[in-house]
Amino acid sequence: MSPPVFLAEPGRLTADQVVLDGPEGRHAATVRRLRPGERVDLTDGAGLLAECIVTAAGRDALTLEVLARHRTERPEPRLVVVQALPKGDRGELAVELMTEVGVDEIVPWAADRCVTRWRPERREKALGRWRATAREAAKQARRSWLPEVADLADTARVADRLAGAAAGAVLHEEATEPLSGLCPPTAGELVVVVGPEGGITPEELEAFAAAGGRPFRLGPTVLRTSTAGVAAAALLLGATGRW
């Protein structure tokens, strides 16, 4: 079984002995009940992973000895999924699944036909839940690079991301070209847009097409918006060689 992964501040991982405290240390010591002699991995979330062994366990902290360090380069191309806001808690589900497979950035999108709306008074709280979900899923998946969850984007901002991408794909059930036919770039950003349950409006499709976003059909069935992103990501990660 692989050792558990916890987040640590970058500066701490350069020392031969690390004290894991705060929320991460509390979770390791009181929830996971890790004890001296057990293996633990620490990551700064930016490519550095330290293999450690527990040398002492306190009430809310662990003392760890660093056995080895590994630096992982940022994966290329960078996979960005623009996710229209799903209903209920399906947004967190989508974030969790996409993080587990390896998506590098998730952009929440307030599409015209989204039922869910992040009102100004609840936007930061909702965004915080998405970011917390991504962080915990990245640890569960033992990722050394944590995904970024961007601020809520409108359609104009999504079009800007497509215009600046090395390649852009817009998932649409009426598209004739399969996503498997997309030739992915070897570097830069590959941006995939996932629409809401009610579909992408003609005006949104027009704006995305003008920005270089090509429409693609994911498959013969229509997936929920909360699962379409992870299916597209898996296909593209295989096509890029990252899987």
Side-chain angles (χ1 to χ4, degrees), residues 76-79 165-169 177-192 214 216 232-243:
E76 289 283 354
R78 191 167 184 266
L79 180 57
E177 188 175 0
L179 186 61
S180 58
L182 171 66
C183 182
T186 57
E189 286 191 349
L190 172 54
V191 177
V192 180
R214 293 163 54 194
F216 288 94
L235 189 154
L236 293 172
L237 287 168
T240 60
R242 287 181 51 179
W243 265 29

Side-chain angles (χ1 to χ4, degrees), residues 1-220:
M1 182 176 178
S2 300
V5 175
F6 297 94
L7 294 173
E9 297 173 3
R12 293 192 177 191
L13 299 186
T14 60
D16 293 332
Q17 182 173 286
V18 179
V19 175
L20 183 66
D21 52 12
E24 292 289 280
R26 190 174 306 111
H27 182 76
T30 63
V31 179
R32 296 297 299 263
R33 298 181 181 275
L34 296 172
R35 295 296 179 257
E38 294 190 82
R39 276 271 292 108
V40 171
D41 285 346
L42 299 181
T43 181
D44 64 354
L48 180 60
L49 182 80
E51 296 180 0
C52 306
I53 189 169
V54 180
T55 57
R59 182 177 180 181
D60 296 319
L62 297 179
T63 302
L64 309 167
E65 178 186 350
V66 176
L67 305 176
R69 297 179 184 85
H70 306 279
R71 170 69 68 178
T72 303
E73 296 301 319
R74 186 186 292 274
E76 289 283 354
R78 191 167 184 266
L79 180 57
V80 179
V81 176
V82 176
Q83 174 66 61
L85 301 180
K87 294 182 291 186
D89 60 358
R90 289 187 175 274
E92 286 97 301
L93 173 64
V95 171
E96 180 179 34
L97 295 175
M98 288 190 285
T99 298
E100 288 179 2
V101 299
V103 171
D104 299 295
E105 183 179 354
I106 301 165
V107 181
W109 170 37
D112 285 347
R113 291 175 177 168
C114 283
V115 174
T116 296
R117 294 290 172 183
W118 286 0
R119 303 301 179 189
E121 64 274 12
R122 60 172 296 215
R123 180 177 299 174
E124 287 306 314
K125 185 176 181 180
L127 189 58
R129 287 198 301 268
W130 278 38
R131 287 173 172 164
T133 298
R135 183 173 60 251
E136 294 306 312
K139 289 160 55 178
Q140 176 65 34
R142 293 166 174 78
R143 289 181 57 168
S144 55
W145 282 94
L146 266 63
E148 178 183 350
V149 177
D151 291 333
L152 181 66
D154 58 14
T155 297
R157 178 57 183 150
V158 174
D160 287 342
R161 292 300 299 264
L162 286 167
V170 180
L171 303 186
H172 195 267
E173 65 272 14
E174 295 181 3
T176 56
E177 188 175 0
L179 186 61
S180 58
L182 171 66
C183 182
T186 57
E189 286 191 349
L190 172 54
V191 177
V192 180
V193 178
V194 180
E197 300 289 358
I200 301 174
T201 67
E203 293 77 15
E204 290 167 337
L205 280 174
E206 183 178 348
F208 296 158
R214 293 163 54 194
F216 288 94
R217 176 173 47 83
L218 186 55

